Amino acid sequence: MNGLLAGLGATIPLVAAPMAGGPSTPALVLAAADAGGLGFLAGGYKTPDQLAAQIAEVRGGASRFGVNLFAPNPVPVDPDAFFRYADALRELAGTYDIPLDGVAPVEDDDGWEAKADLLVSDPVPVVSFTFGLPPADLVRRLQEAGSLVFQTVTSPGEAALAASLGVDGLVVQSIKAGGHSGTLTPAVPVQDILLAELLDRVRSTVRLPVWAAGGISTPAGVRDALGHGAEAVVVGTVLLRSPESGASAAYKAGLADPARDGTVVTTAFSGRPARALRNRFVDRFHPVAPGGYPAIHHLTSPLRKAAAAAGDSESINLWAGTGFRDATEEPAADILRRLAGLD
């Protein structure tokens, strides 16, 4: 162990990824700290008060943790495409009594300023950003408050932009990652290259500590990323079936279903590219889904919540990286220790 994560007191080079929408609970973050690593709370889709409450809960049991925020990088939806997609969803929405009559695009920033101010006034050990770049002034304010600042990047060019802001480190995310891509240009396909090669390219472009993310689900995958210069490895999908995960029962069942035949990058659920297990929703709506975040997210969110409550794995976003077969029901701390080679 060395570098920024070791400086925070970690004894294993493992980080529990921020998974917005419910999976990243305080219990999961505490389990990561207990294992000797670090866990992230996901600030996305929470109100500032909800995020503050989770920070307080984690702080009561661990001194080593992080918070991730969605930095604004909107992709305004084409209105005609939005209404065509709403029409396509109408039949499925009707099965859950979700009215789509009169629905209109919602373009918001997820409470960005209030959450950023919260993290300046009530600092946490690590703050990371994804989707967009924070202002350099916010990076400086967070650092002055005592936080390490990380930026999610998916290419050497993004890494250079992040470095110019003065961040402390980078989360280098490959296309194999589950859930949303952190790309700064969501309308442009992310380059399909191995994580090891991406790490090499980023490290030859900037001189910043890097944490590796994307499809890592085995001890061998962890060793490979560390061997290519990452000081830590960020994992998410492999933790989703653990008791500490807040993933819904339908989500966990979908991950465990042996009939699932792979993952696909789709805009069908949120209007932003994200990797998910194939299900009927993906097969039906991926071909017609427009880009447009957060408007498409807000359009489909009530339907997805209703389907999850009904236990319908075919109508929800089963975010998953390419290593989803390795997700188990073990306690999260045991999973992280095993990935670190401590078993």
Side-chain angles (χ1 to χ4, degrees):
M1 285 292 299
N2 57 70
L4 296 178
L5 189 59
L8 293 170
T11 56
I12 63 171
L14 270 296
V15 175
M19 296 176 282
S24 287
T25 62
L28 185 59
V29 175
L30 291 170
D34 181 62
L38 178 143
F40 271 93
L41 290 172
Y45 310 136
K46 294 186 178 79
T47 67
D49 286 345
Q50 289 171 332
L51 179 57
Q54 289 201 339
I55 291 171
E57 183 176 349
V58 170
R59 187 174 277 132
S63 60
R64 183 175 61 251
F65 66 98
V67 172
N68 173 262
L69 295 185
F70 295 160
N73 184 13
V75 183
V77 71
D78 175 82
D80 290 338
F82 176 88
F83 291 118
R84 284 195 299 270
Y85 195 45
D87 284 339
L89 293 167
R90 196 175 304 277
E91 180 183 358
L92 179 59
T95 64
Y96 290 108
D97 296 323
I98 304 296
L100 295 183
D101 294 334
V103 69
V106 174
E107 308 282 5
D108 64 12
D109 65 1
D110 198 45
W112 163 251
E113 289 190 8
K115 292 176 187 178
D117 288 345
L118 168 67
L119 294 178
V120 171
S121 62
D122 187 17
V124 300
V126 185
V127 176
S128 70
F129 297 100
T130 192
F131 290 4
L133 297 171
D137 177 65
L138 176 59
V139 173
R140 177 187 57 77
R141 289 165 60 209
L142 289 165
Q143 291 167 333
E144 290 176 349
S147 299
L148 293 173
V149 178
F150 275 71
Q151 175 67 40
T152 304
V153 299
T154 63
S155 71
E158 292 179 354
L161 289 173
S164 71
L165 300 176
V167 300
D168 298 291
L170 305 172
V171 176
V172 178
Q173 183 197 55
S174 84
I175 194 173
K176 293 185 177 182
H180 285 105
S181 170
T183 176
L184 301 180
T185 53
V188 179
V190 175
Q191 192 170 8
D192 188 0
I193 61 174
L194 294 175
L195 176 59
E197 182 179 352
L198 179 59
L199 289 168
D200 290 345
R201 291 185 186 183
V202 167
R203 293 180 64 245
S204 69
T205 302
V206 299
R207 295 186 178 278
L208 284 174
V210 298
W211 295 357
I216 302 172
S217 59
T218 64
V222 171
R223 291 194 298 271
D224 186 54
L226 297 178
H228 283 267
E231 75 164 40
V233 168
V234 182
V235 296
T237 302
V238 74
L239 300 172
L240 281 169
R241 294 179 61 204
S242 69
E244 296 88 354
S245 162
S248 68
Y251 192 171
K252 291 183 178 183
L255 287 164
D257 185 351
R260 300 290 171 193
D261 61 358
T263 63
V264 62
V265 176
T266 182
T267 59
F269 296 105
S270 72
R272 187 180 169 90
R275 185 174 293 279
L277 290 175
R278 286 188 58 191
N279 60 6
R280 283 199 296 269
F281 192 104
V282 171
D283 288 343
R284 182 175 177 183
F285 298 113
H286 173 71
V288 298
Y293 182 90
I296 300 302
H297 159 75
H298 289 301
L299 173 64
T300 68
S301 180
L303 192 163
R304 291 181 281 134
K305 289 177 180 177
D312 179 6
S313 297
E314 296 296 335
S315 301
I316 62 174
N317 48 296
L318 299 169
W319 299 144
T322 55
F324 71 94
R325 296 285 187 203
D326 296 317
T328 67
E329 295 180 314
E330 299 169 272
D334 291 350
I335 295 170
L336 292 169
R337 291 189 187 103
R338 175 168 52 77
L339 291 174
L342 297 184
D343 281 357

